[in-house]
């Protein structure tokens, strides 16, 4: 069975033909749905702004959220602190 499928996504009034992995279909379609939801919300709120500017605002909103999630999922500060605490404990038990 072929693991690639062809789909057509509707976003911002245009059709985008894509070839994707079959297992990604649900998330790809959900992503397009989320884009359309945000575009429609901006169009409702900013009726006098061009489609290009609305799309730029939606792209900015997604980029901002992605960066915020990336920062939130950064475990390096926690890993460094755990390493530091582990060294303190090891030192304590070696001396004791």
């Amino acid at each position: 069975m072929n693991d690639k499928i062809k789909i057509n996504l509707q976003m911002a009034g245009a059709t985008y033909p894509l070839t994707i992995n079959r297992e990604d279909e649900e998330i790809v379609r959900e992503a397009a749905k989320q884009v359309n939801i945000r575009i429609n919300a901006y169009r409702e709120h900013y009726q006098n702004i061009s489609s290009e500017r609305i799309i730029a605002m939606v792209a900015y909103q997604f980029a901002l959220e992605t960066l915020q999630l990336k920062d939130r999922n950064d475990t390096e500060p926690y890993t460094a602190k755990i390493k530091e605490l582990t060294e303190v404990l090891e030192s304590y038990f070696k001396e004791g």
Side-chain angles (χ1 to χ4, degrees):
M1 185 162 113
N2 190 352
D3 61 343
K4 299 280 187 185
I5 60 171
K6 293 182 180 189
I7 64 171
N8 290 309
L9 292 182
Q10 298 285 329
M11 291 186 295
T15 300
Y16 298 90
L18 296 176
T19 301
I20 61 168
N21 290 324
R22 184 177 303 280
E23 66 268 12
D24 295 335
E25 182 179 8
E26 185 178 343
I27 197 165
V28 168
R29 290 191 184 280
E30 181 61 28
K33 179 181 173 184
Q34 292 301 315
V35 168
N36 285 323
I37 287 170
R38 291 186 186 198
I39 286 173
N40 291 336
Y42 274 109
R43 280 187 179 147
E44 248 181 61
H45 196 264
Y46 301 102
Q47 296 176 2
N48 296 326
I49 293 181
S50 69
S51 292
E52 291 82 13
R53 291 187 68 184
I54 287 174
I55 291 169
M57 291 166 65
V58 169
Y60 167 77
Q61 186 178 15
F62 278 117
L64 180 61
E65 288 174 7
T66 300
L67 291 172
Q68 289 170 334
L69 287 173
K70 180 181 169 192
D71 287 344
R72 192 176 95 193
N73 291 329
D74 181 12
T75 59
E76 179 57 36
Y78 303 106
T79 305
K81 192 62 167 174
I82 289 171
K83 183 178 177 186
E84 178 187 333
L85 293 171
T86 301
E87 290 170 1
V88 168
L89 287 172
E90 286 174 351
S91 174
Y92 173 79
F93 286 116
K94 283 180 185 176
E95 294 172 6

